[in-house]
Amino acid sequence: MSGGLAWRQRVIGGTPLLSLRVPLGGRMVRVRLKMESENSFGSIKARTAQALLGSLEAAGRLGPGSRVVESTSGNLGVALAGLCAQRGYRCTLVVEPGTPQHSRDEMAAHGAEVVVVSEVPGGRTLQARLDAVQDILANDPTAVWTDQYGNPANPDAHRWGTAAELARALPEGRLGALAVAVSTGGTLAGVAGHFRAHRPDTRLLAVDAVGSAALGGTACDRPFKLPGFGSGQRSRFLTGGEWDRAFTLHDVHAALACRLLAEATGLRLGGSGGAAVLAALVDAGDTPGVTDAAAICPDAGGKYEQVYDRRSLPAPPDADHAVLAALEALGAARLENGEPK
């Protein structure tokens, strides 16, 4: 059975929680992992893609003969390609050289046209993707941009879906901290909307990449760049009130977190999930009262060769004590329930 067919037999939403126990600072910290790889098409972006298309259909902007266009680092493109194939829309997806080949192949297998832009120095490759989208829109009257960067359906999918599910699944609804890696910022915005209203005692952690502009920093080159983690532009969904603490982590440290977790438990997360787990542990190390945290894990690690191939991982940059302690703790992590995915 092909991977694409297996994904189509799943559903969107209702993803499970795994519980990770990590010895840290003389105590045991439980980190609950929201396993979004269990969605159709293998990632949290199935929720986003479904919501984006639904919003355009409700507005009467999509119909027979429409061509869906989007800029993507991988996961959203796979989900859009699959859903467009099911709904009868043509689909064009603009990616960059760092988009995993596995993801590009999946997009094409669902019938999408895949356009690859050239890498642009200075962290400006996202703008090249967006420029390509605008060129397509200007030259094809049937083309419709889903706009994951500004369409409010993006955060809404996570406010009423991802976050609500997580809150319902928590024992007695309590959680010390919740870590969410950012790219467009839609997941964090939606999660914050729900937790601020219904679980205000939970501290929200925004996790960005060094060299990313998602939380307002300056975009710059990231020689080792994890797809789906960080962004070349500031999020249009985030104003600062959505988080209680922000982290900027090196891509290499996020990759190391993935590797250490896999070696300890057999669980392979994608890079953004590894970053979220690492941030949750750094925060717990700095906050003695936190013994129960959670991390949104957007996808699994199967397509990220640069994360799990030792030969492709560069030497890690210097890290402060808290990051080093969290990485060391991950080496002793154990799964409390479930099987590795």
Side-chain angles (χ1 to χ4, degrees):
M1 180 182 292
S2 71
L5 180 57
W7 289 347
R8 284 194 290 272
Q9 291 179 339
R10 301 179 187 178
V11 297
I12 297 175
T15 55
L17 277 182
L18 294 184
S19 186
L20 194 68
R21 289 176 63 83
V22 186
L24 181 70
R27 70 189 191 279
M28 193 65 68
V29 176
R30 178 183 286 110
V31 182
R32 302 181 190 277
L33 310 179
K34 183 66 167 158
M35 298 299 293
E36 291 297 294
S37 58
E38 293 301 294
N39 282 302
S40 290
F41 310 108
S43 83
I44 196 170
K45 291 296 188 176
R47 299 180 189 264
T48 309
Q50 178 176 252
L52 293 173
L53 292 175
S55 71
L56 294 173
E57 289 169 339
R61 295 182 58 199
L62 284 178
S66 292
R67 177 189 184 186
V68 169
V69 182
E70 186 56 280
S71 154
T72 173
S73 61
N75 284 332
L76 180 66
V78 172
L80 279 175
L83 290 175
C84 284
Q86 292 174 7
R87 300 182 186 199
Y89 304 131
R90 293 174 296 138
C91 184
T92 298
L93 300 162
V94 182
V95 305
E96 60 191 64
T99 300
Q101 188 61 49
H102 180 280
S103 298
R104 294 190 233 174
D105 291 343
E106 287 288 344
M107 296 174 207
H110 287 298
E113 176 191 17
V114 181
V115 176
V116 185
V117 302
S118 299
E119 197 75 33
V120 181
R124 293 179 291 121
T125 305
L126 172 58
Q127 188 57 55
R129 283 167 29 198
L130 295 173
D131 289 345
V133 167
Q134 293 304 315
D135 287 343
I136 293 167
L137 296 175
N139 289 286
D140 183 354
T142 72
V144 180
W145 184 23
T146 44
D147 189 11
Q148 64 166 321
Y149 311 94
N151 188 332
N154 179 347
D156 283 351
H158 305 294
R159 180 170 187 167
W160 308 117
T162 315
E165 289 176 17
L166 175 58
R168 286 195 300 267
L170 294 170
E172 301 178 8
R174 292 198 300 265
L175 184 66
L178 171 58
V180 184
V182 296
S183 182
T184 67
T187 302
L188 177 58
V191 166
H194 185 88
F195 272 78
R196 293 299 197 216
H198 301 285
R199 298 288 187 271
D201 292 340
T202 299
R203 296 170 57 252
L204 298 177
L205 313 178
V207 190
D208 201 3
V210 173
S212 162
L215 296 183
T218 301
C220 62
D221 289 330
R222 294 158 60 191
F224 181 84
K225 179 182 177 183
L226 295 173
F229 179 39
S231 176
Q233 67 179 16
R234 183 168 186 164
S235 170
R236 291 163 59 187
F237 300 121
L238 301 174
T239 63
E242 297 82 5
W243 65 84
D244 298 291
R245 185 177 182 185
F247 292 85
T248 52
L249 299 176
H250 285 281
D251 293 86
V252 177
H253 291 144
L256 277 173
C258 292
R259 288 264 301 277
L260 289 164
L261 182 60
E263 290 168 2
T265 68
L267 184 68
R268 287 194 166 204
L269 301 180
S272 56
V277 171
L278 180 58
L281 289 174
V282 172
D283 180 73
D286 293 341
T287 315
V290 173
T291 59
D292 206 323
I296 305 292
C297 301
D299 63 357
K303 57 184 171 287
Y304 298 115
E305 294 180 7
Q306 77 271 41
V307 171
Y308 292 99
D309 183 352
R310 291 179 180 275
R311 297 167 297 179
S312 65
L313 194 63
D318 291 338
D320 62 27
H321 172 75
V323 171
L324 293 175
L327 289 169
E328 182 178 0
L330 271 173
R334 295 293 180 267
L335 280 174
E336 197 171 62
N337 61 333
E339 296 292 330
K341 302 295 179 185

